[in-house]
Amino acid sequence: MIETIHIHETSSTNSHLGQLIKEKPLDEGSMLYADFQTQGRGVSTNVWESEKAKNLLCSILLRPTFVPIKQQFIISQVVSLAITDVLLTYSTAISIKWPNDIYWNDKKIAGILIENNLQNGLLATCIIGIGLNVNQETFHSSAPNPISLIHITNSTYHIATFATSIRNAIFERYIQLLKGKINDIQKEYTERLYRSTGVYAYEDEKGAFNASIHQVTPDGYLELKRENGNHQRYAFKEVRFIL
C-alpha cells in the first residue's frame, strides 16, 4: 500500500523516512511530508529555510533497482522534470539550474536532495527530498535569491494537495523511465535547463569566465563551452553560476 504520512514536525523528512523504511515495509511511492523541519537539509552543509506550514517539505520513496549506479543521475533528471511539470502550469519562466535546483527566472523556488542506498551495483532505494516554496512571503536566511509560488501568482495553496500533485508528476516521469525512454528524459531535461542558450558568467577555482552550456552528460557532469571554443566538464560544486 502506498502511504501518505503527514507529521507536524521532524528534524528532516529524508532522515525520518529513512528511519521508517528500516522499521516497516513501505511501498514505492510512499510519501512523508511535514509542516516544519528543525534541521532541514540542502546539499552538503546547506540549510533549507521554511516557515512553519507554509511550504512543501516532503520525501518520497522510490525503488529503482533497474538503474545501474553509473546511471543514477537519471533519477535526478526525472524528479527535476516532474517538479517543473507542475510549476509550468503556473508560469512559463520555470527552469532547472544544474544539477537539480528549480528556478523561476533568476530566483530559486525549489531544491532537491536525493539520498541513494546502493546494493550489488544497482540502486536499492532512493529517498527523494523536496523543499518547494509555496506560501512563504518573507525569507530571513542569507540565501541570495529565494522566491515562493505566492510571489509569482499572488495566490495561496493547500500544501497537502500540492504534495499529491508533485508525487503524481514524479510517478508519471518514473513510468516514462520504466518504459526505457531515457533519451526523451535527457532531451527534455536539457531543454529546460537554466541558461540553456547564450553565453553567461561562471566561476571555477581559477576564476571567472564566460561560457555557454554545451551539454549535461548522462553521468551528470556539466560541460561548458568557453568563448575560446574550449570545452570543460565539471562535477557538482566545481563550478558556480554567477547570478
Side-chain angles (χ1 to χ4, degrees):
M1 178 180 176
I2 298 174
E3 294 192 39
T4 299
I5 303 160
H6 174 225
I7 56 177
H8 293 295
E9 185 174 307
T10 186
S11 59
S12 156
T13 60
N14 267 25
S15 298
H16 198 128
L17 184 57
Q19 184 60 39
L20 281 180
I21 63 176
K22 295 177 182 177
E23 297 171 357
K24 65 175 184 177
L26 284 176
D27 285 344
E28 190 171 44
S30 292
M31 174 175 65
L32 180 146
Y33 72 99
D35 296 333
F36 185 68
Q37 293 182 128
T38 58
Q39 299 174 29
R41 292 182 287 134
V43 174
S44 187
T45 58
N46 294 340
V47 176
W48 186 263
E49 177 194 358
S50 182
E51 189 177 341
K52 191 171 186 178
K54 292 289 188 179
N55 302 320
L56 176 59
L57 307 169
C58 73
S59 294
I60 298 169
L61 173 64
L62 295 179
R63 300 186 187 276
T65 55
F66 58 96
V67 176
I69 292 174
K70 290 183 178 180
Q71 297 176 18
Q72 61 185 291
F73 185 67
I74 194 68
I75 301 297
S76 183
Q77 292 174 308
V78 162
V79 176
S80 298
L81 283 172
I83 296 173
T84 57
D85 287 340
V86 174
L87 293 177
L88 283 167
T89 65
Y90 299 96
S91 172
T92 59
I94 300 294
S95 62
I96 303 165
K97 179 174 170 284
W98 174 84
N100 57 15
D101 282 341
I102 310 302
Y103 267 45
W104 177 81
N105 288 320
D106 293 320
K107 294 183 178 293
K108 183 175 177 177
I109 191 170
I112 301 165
L113 177 62
I114 300 176
E115 296 180 307
N116 297 322
N117 178 32
L118 311 176
Q119 189 173 357
N120 298 324
L122 297 170
L123 296 181
T125 60
C126 292
I127 295 179
I128 313 297
I130 299 168
L132 197 158
N133 298 329
V134 181
N135 296 320
Q136 184 166 339
E137 296 188 69
T138 304
F139 292 87
H140 304 283
S141 76
S142 59
N145 60 344
I147 196 168
S148 291
L149 193 58
I150 190 173
H151 297 135
I152 299 169
T153 65
N154 294 315
S155 298
T156 57
Y157 299 90
H158 187 240
I159 299 298
T161 301
F162 217 92
T164 299
S165 297
I166 291 293
R167 177 169 59 184
N168 289 345
I170 290 174
F171 270 158
E172 290 180 12
R173 287 292 181 174
Y174 192 55
I175 289 170
Q176 188 181 20
L177 177 60
L178 284 165
K179 291 180 177 178
K181 297 184 178 180
I182 294 175
N183 290 339
D184 291 344
I185 292 169
Q186 292 172 336
K187 181 175 181 291
E188 286 189 81
Y189 174 88
T190 300
E191 291 171 347
R192 291 191 188 177
L193 280 175
Y194 175 69
R195 296 182 173 177
S196 61
T197 60
V199 176
Y200 293 92
Y202 296 87
E203 185 176 27
D204 63 13
E205 61 179 4
K206 295 180 180 179
F209 62 93
N210 293 326
S212 59
I213 293 177
H214 178 68
Q215 67 168 337
V216 175
T217 65
D219 50 357
Y221 287 87
L222 178 67
E223 184 173 325
L224 297 177
K225 180 181 179 181
R226 298 192 180 222
E227 289 184 307
N228 62 8
N230 291 338
H231 289 234
Q232 187 164 354
R233 290 185 178 186
Y234 293 94
F236 184 51
K237 294 292 187 181
E238 290 183 346
V239 67
R240 183 176 70 87
F241 292 69
I242 298 177
L243 302 178

